[in-house]
Amino acid sequence: MWATSQLPVKPQFTRQVVAQVRMRTPLALLGAALLVLVGPPLLTTGSGADTGTQIPGLRFMVPNTPGGGYDITARTAAKNAEDAGLTHTIEVFNLPGAGGTVGLTRLVGEHGNGKLAMSMGLGVVGAVHTNKSPKTLGDTTPIARLTEEQDIVVVAKDSPYKTIDDLVAAWKKDPAKLPVGGGSSPGGPDHLAPMLMAQAAGIEPKSVNYIPFDGGGELLASILGDKVAFGVSGVGEYLDQIKSGELRLLAVTGPKRVKGLDAPTLRESGLDTEFTNWRGVVAPPGLTDAERDKLVTLVEKLHDSPEWRESMRKNGWDDAFLAGEKFGDFLDEQDKRVDAVLKELGL
């Protein structure tokens, strides 16, 4: 602000100085007010501006119902990004239908929208094939693969099947009488995993009575309500129900046991197969390089944050980070792989 001089002032200049002070005081007050308004954003950390991740109005679409794997991943990622100070509030919304292809069609239709992203995974890859979707993941802008996780085989707490051996023995006797539920449409991970299990057990995949649900939330209600004999879903979706005793975990589908869970792998149980799922993020087509790079940078910073690391640990997710064009190449490979597996299984 304006400082008063300590040197003697000649009388003839007194009126002039007083007038100048009177004129400058309103300007000084205005300047101080502007500093109050401008200062906080310049001084505040964690707004995202210093990391290049600030995307005002960012929306995160979930192409299945609340409680499913895509939903949990999206809401966890959004909260972690906010807690890490990477961006402001991210709106997460659900648009379920047709195994994720309803959401995919909406995403592709948002051409050039750099403020929209979609949670997705192997299930959407399969749904494109089985639903003969006119829009494919090749029409999107690949952002990143985030996680990989095993599927789990679960039954209700009062189920007669105490072990995976009990279940498989009953399943082999009459596959049609033991409906299996999954939180993805045909061609998705929760469908492919039991089909591979059936093949390894000597059961004709076409004879399996698979009942698809649009996400893990709907599937859980059907398992607990004895609408299906057993369910297959991602390990992170039912950890709470397993720990509380509502669900009995019979096996995990990956190459090794899951830390903290008392269940064998399929191979340990005599079924020579393994299966893992993955989840990632895609955006609409037609983004500028700057818009795409900002979304990629956001998920890169999220991946490196302690908040995300802790969430992966708590949910039993394995780190499978792959960004940008490399993720795009991976999507192409997955599309070919799913097509080959569906043909091999006669599905």
Side-chain angles (χ1 to χ4, degrees):
M1 300 296 292
W2 296 99
T4 303
S5 173
Q6 299 301 312
L7 296 176
V9 179
K10 293 181 181 182
Q12 61 266 37
F13 294 112
T14 300
R15 292 180 181 177
Q16 182 180 351
V17 171
V18 171
Q20 289 176 339
V21 170
R22 286 176 178 170
M23 292 177 63
R24 289 172 178 171
T25 297
L27 294 176
L29 291 173
L30 178 59
L34 289 174
L35 284 173
V36 170
L37 293 173
V38 176
L42 294 176
L43 296 174
T44 298
T45 58
S47 67
D50 57 334
T51 60
T53 59
Q54 176 73 351
I55 307 177
L58 178 61
R59 306 179 76 214
F60 208 167
M61 184 199 303
V62 177
N64 66 4
T65 56
Y70 299 152
D71 187 69
I72 293 172
T73 303
R75 294 183 189 279
T76 300
K79 185 177 187 305
N80 288 170
E82 292 166 10
D83 291 345
L86 298 175
T87 190
H88 294 304
T89 304
I90 302 173
E91 179 191 349
V92 180
F93 68 99
N94 298 76
L95 186 63
T101 55
V102 170
L104 175 63
T105 300
R106 162 74 178 274
L107 187 82
V108 174
E110 293 277 346
H111 189 278
N113 186 352
K115 295 185 178 183
L116 179 65
M118 186 178 82
S119 174
M120 48 72 69
L122 181 57
V124 179
V125 179
V128 167
H129 284 273
T130 56
N131 291 324
K132 295 179 171 48
S133 172
K135 305 300 181 184
T136 72
L137 289 165
D139 297 319
T140 70
T141 298
I143 302 302
R145 183 183 69 188
L146 294 175
T147 62
E148 186 175 64
E149 72 171 336
Q150 302 192 37
D151 264 8
I152 51 176
V153 182
V154 292
V155 294
K157 63 181 179 181
D158 56 355
S159 168
Y161 310 116
K162 307 297 183 183
T163 67
I164 187 68
D165 291 338
D166 293 341
L167 174 64
V168 171
W171 200 19
K172 291 173 72 172
K173 287 181 180 179
D174 196 342
K177 285 189 177 180
L178 265 74
V180 50
S184 59
S185 66
D190 299 349
H191 173 241
L192 294 177
M195 294 302 164
L196 292 171
M197 284 174 56
Q199 185 183 50
I203 299 170
E204 175 59 45
K206 286 185 177 180
S207 69
V208 173
N209 183 10
Y210 177 76
I211 301 177
F213 296 89
D214 207 351
E218 292 183 0
L219 171 61
L220 176 62
S222 293
I223 298 172
L224 296 177
D226 293 325
K227 303 295 184 183
V228 295
F230 66 103
V232 177
S233 189
V235 64
E237 296 184 50
Y238 297 150
L239 284 177
D240 290 342
Q241 289 77 16
I242 292 170
K243 291 177 180 178
S244 69
E246 289 183 87
L247 293 178
R248 180 183 301 139
L249 176 61
L250 301 184
V252 296
T253 67
K256 60 183 180 181
R257 293 193 177 207
V258 176
K259 186 177 180 180
L261 296 180
D262 183 20
T265 66
L266 294 176
R267 279 210 165 93
E268 286 178 318
S269 306
L271 299 176
D272 190 18
T273 189
E274 64 182 51
F275 181 86
T276 54
N277 187 18
W278 57 267
R279 296 191 180 95
V281 181
V282 292
L287 302 191
T288 65
D289 290 345
E291 288 171 330
R292 181 200 61 213
D293 292 347
K294 181 159 281 193
L295 282 167
V296 170
T297 300
L298 174 59
V299 293
E300 285 176 338
K301 296 289 185 180
L302 170 67
H303 169 257
D304 294 337
S305 71
E307 289 84 357
W308 180 249
R309 297 287 178 178
E310 176 60 15
S311 292
M312 285 198 298
R313 185 194 67 78
K314 288 174 62 177
N315 287 289
W317 297 337
D318 294 323
D319 189 5
F321 193 73
L322 195 66
E325 292 182 3
K326 291 182 178 179
F327 179 45
D329 293 339
F330 172 78
L331 288 177
D332 291 339
E333 294 170 3
Q334 288 290 288
D335 184 68
K336 295 173 183 175
R337 176 188 173 222
V338 167
D339 183 57
V341 170
L342 288 173
K343 288 177 179 176
E344 178 187 345
L345 295 176
L347 303 172

